[in-house]
């Protein structure tokens, strides 16, 4: 029998960690992008016709996993709840020593809204700042994606721009909100909400 997912009351007893995406995570990662519900694709602005085939997506991610850090333009961290991978954060447009654009994805709908996303997002941002020696990270969710925007505001990241663009090579052109993912804000949130 499977235990029910944790509730808000017991989320402090849950161990949240981030780590580089591993081969064992690929099936979940690929399914998230290749088999989303219509509502999920619309909410996140995913252009289904631009998503590679499962085989192509696997090859892309395996190539990223094998490449040296200084040659990467994107990198993916797995989000883990009690050691089980439940989502990921990706950093794209990486300019080592300078800049990156962060994305966030909770694969399991049953864990959305439970309070894990903000903590995992901040852990990811801090990892990316350290791993790539970054000075600046931005996040650009679809402006009408309520969960992502609510989460970024709750953490305290400033909204600095609303514009029309595609947030990645897999995204539709739409209205985006740009948030500055400030390191000190992420650190404060991660420390204040540590389990």
């Amino acid at each position: 029998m499977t235990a029910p997912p944790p509730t808000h009351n017991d989320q402090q007893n849950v161990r949240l960690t981030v780590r580089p995406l591993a081969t064992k995570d690929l099936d979940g990662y690929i399914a998230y992008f290749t088999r989303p519900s219509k509502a999920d694709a619309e909410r996140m602005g995913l252009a289904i016709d631009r998503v590679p085939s499962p085989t192509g997506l696997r090859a892309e991610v395996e190539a990223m996993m094998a490449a040296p850090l200084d040659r990467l333009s994107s990198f993916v961290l797995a989000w883990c709840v009690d050691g089980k991978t439940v989502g990921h954060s990706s950093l794209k447009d990486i300019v080592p020593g300078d800049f990156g654009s962060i994305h966030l994805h909770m694969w399991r709908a049953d864990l959305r809204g439970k309070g894990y996303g903000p903590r995992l997002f901040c852990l990811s941002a801090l990892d990316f700042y350290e791993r790539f020696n970054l000075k600046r990270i931005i996040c650009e969710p679809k402006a009408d994606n309520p969960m992502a925007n609510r989460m970024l505001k709750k953490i305290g990241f400033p909204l600095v721009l609303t514009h029309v663009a595609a947030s990645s090579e897999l995204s539709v052109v739409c209205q985006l909100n740009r948030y500055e993912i400030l390191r000190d804000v992420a650190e404060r949130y991660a420390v204040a909400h540590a389990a």
Side-chain angles (χ1 to χ4, degrees), residues 25-101:
D25 306 315
L26 290 183
D27 289 343
Y29 178 89
I30 291 165
Y32 179 80
F33 285 111
T34 60
R35 298 194 310 254
S37 70
K38 186 175 180 187
D40 281 346
E42 168 67 23
R43 177 182 43 77
M44 66 178 153
L46 182 65
I48 299 292
D49 59 332
R50 290 193 207 134
V51 176
S53 69
T55 304
L57 197 52
R58 181 177 298 273
E60 284 180 18
V61 177
E62 286 174 341
M64 178 211 67
M65 289 165 46
L69 280 182
D70 63 351
R71 296 229 175 105
L72 292 174
S73 61
S74 63
F75 189 78
V76 181
L77 289 172
W79 285 5
C80 302
V81 174
D82 287 335
K84 292 188 173 77
T85 308
V86 300
H88 76 276
S89 241
S90 58
L91 190 70
K92 305 213 173 192
D93 307 318
I94 299 170
V95 179
D98 187 28
F99 174 81
S101 176

Side-chain angles (χ1 to χ4, degrees), residues 102 137-141 143 148-150 152-153 156-161 177-182:
I102 192 172
I137 297 176
I138 63 166
C139 185
E140 294 191 321
N149 285 281
R150 190 168 46 240
L152 293 166
K153 287 176 186 170
F157 296 119
L159 173 63
V160 295
L161 175 70
N177 283 337
R178 177 179 295 170
Y179 294 85
E180 286 285 345
I181 307 306
L182 303 172

Side-chain angles (χ1 to χ4, degrees), residues 77-183:
L77 289 172
W79 285 5
C80 302
V81 174
D82 287 335
K84 292 188 173 77
T85 308
V86 300
H88 76 276
S89 241
S90 58
L91 190 70
K92 305 213 173 192
D93 307 318
I94 299 170
V95 179
D98 187 28
F99 174 81
S101 176
I102 192 172
H103 298 251
L104 60 140
H105 301 280
M106 179 66 78
W107 300 347
R108 289 190 34 198
D110 63 313
L111 294 182
R112 293 180 191 141
K114 303 284 187 199
Y116 304 137
R119 292 163 62 197
L120 289 163
F121 181 84
C122 288
L123 291 173
S124 297
L126 294 172
D127 182 295
F128 290 143
Y129 266 111
E130 192 68 29
R131 189 178 301 269
F132 295 101
N133 190 30
L134 300 177
K135 295 184 179 88
R136 182 171 171 246
I137 297 176
I138 63 166
C139 185
E140 294 191 321
K142 195 173 175 211
D144 64 0
N145 180 340
M147 287 183 277
N149 285 281
R150 190 168 46 240
M151 183 199 80
L152 293 166
K153 287 176 186 170
K154 173 184 175 180
I155 295 168
F157 296 119
L159 173 63
V160 295
L161 175 70
T162 298
H163 66 124
V164 175
S167 65
S168 81
E169 67 282 359
L170 300 181
S171 300
V172 298
V173 173
C174 60
Q175 191 169 48
L176 301 173
N177 283 337
R178 177 179 295 170
Y179 294 85
E180 286 285 345
I181 307 306
L182 303 172
R183 187 176 193 156

